[in-house]
């Protein structure tokens, strides 16, 4: 069950229509998970500083069970997420940062239990 959170200083009107759905489909493809399990949040118009600069930027946080736990996995994921983000946001790769967080099934609550028991 991947969670993807995009924070950006870009105003909402500069984001492409359907960005959350695009990120959902891209995440499913990149991480090899069903789109029905992907959760996406997009927050725009934030006051942000990246690498000491307040120029337009974005931070993507990717959390998931089993697919973001190694440097090798995340190197491949990073390249693919950067391709999506630079195309969708019109930002250079130097204005985007990605953070990966591995999750355990017991850390995700769903249907009144945790993923361990589903």
């Amino acid at each position: 069950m991947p969670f993807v959170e995009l924070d950006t200083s870009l105003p909402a009107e500069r984001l492409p229509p359907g960005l959350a759905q695009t990120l959902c489909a891209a995440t499913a493809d990149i991480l090899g998970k069903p789109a029905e399990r992907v959760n996406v949040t997009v927050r725009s118009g934030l006051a942000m500083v990246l690498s000491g600069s307040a120029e337009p930027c974005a931070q993507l946080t990717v959390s998931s069970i089993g697919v973001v736990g190694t440097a090798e996995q995340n190197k491949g994921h990073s390249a693919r997420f950067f391709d999506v983000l630079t195309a969708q946001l019109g930002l250079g790769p130097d204005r985007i940062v990605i953070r990966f967080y591995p999750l355990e099934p017991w850390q995700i609550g769903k249907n009144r239990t945790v993923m361990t028991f589903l």
Side-chain angles (χ1 to χ4, degrees):
M1 178 170 282
F3 295 88
V4 174
E5 298 177 44
L6 176 65
D7 293 330
T8 182
S9 60
L10 293 170
E13 59 271 11
R14 284 208 32 209
L15 301 181
L19 177 59
Q21 194 62 43
T22 298
L23 275 176
C24 179
T27 299
D29 182 53
I30 292 167
L31 300 182
K33 301 279 189 172
E36 297 78 28
R37 293 203 170 187
V38 176
N39 304 281
V40 175
T41 302
V42 175
R43 291 179 286 267
S44 59
L46 300 174
M48 296 176 66
V49 173
L50 180 67
S51 300
S53 170
E55 291 297 313
C57 62
Q59 295 181 39
L60 186 73
T61 303
V62 181
S63 307
S64 189
I65 298 169
V67 294
V68 296
T70 70
E72 292 77 20
Q73 288 172 318
N74 293 342
K75 182 179 178 186
H77 299 332
S78 182
R80 294 182 69 196
F81 275 116
F82 268 95
D83 289 345
V84 172
L85 293 173
T86 55
Q88 291 293 309
L89 302 178
L91 297 174
D94 61 321
R95 299 304 304 153
I96 300 169
V97 66
I98 303 173
R99 294 178 290 165
F100 294 99
Y101 292 100
L103 297 172
E104 296 296 331
W106 53 266
Q107 293 176 305
I108 307 296
K110 184 171 178 163
N111 293 335
R112 302 182 71 187
T113 186
V114 293
M115 294 299 292
T116 303
F117 301 106
L118 295 177

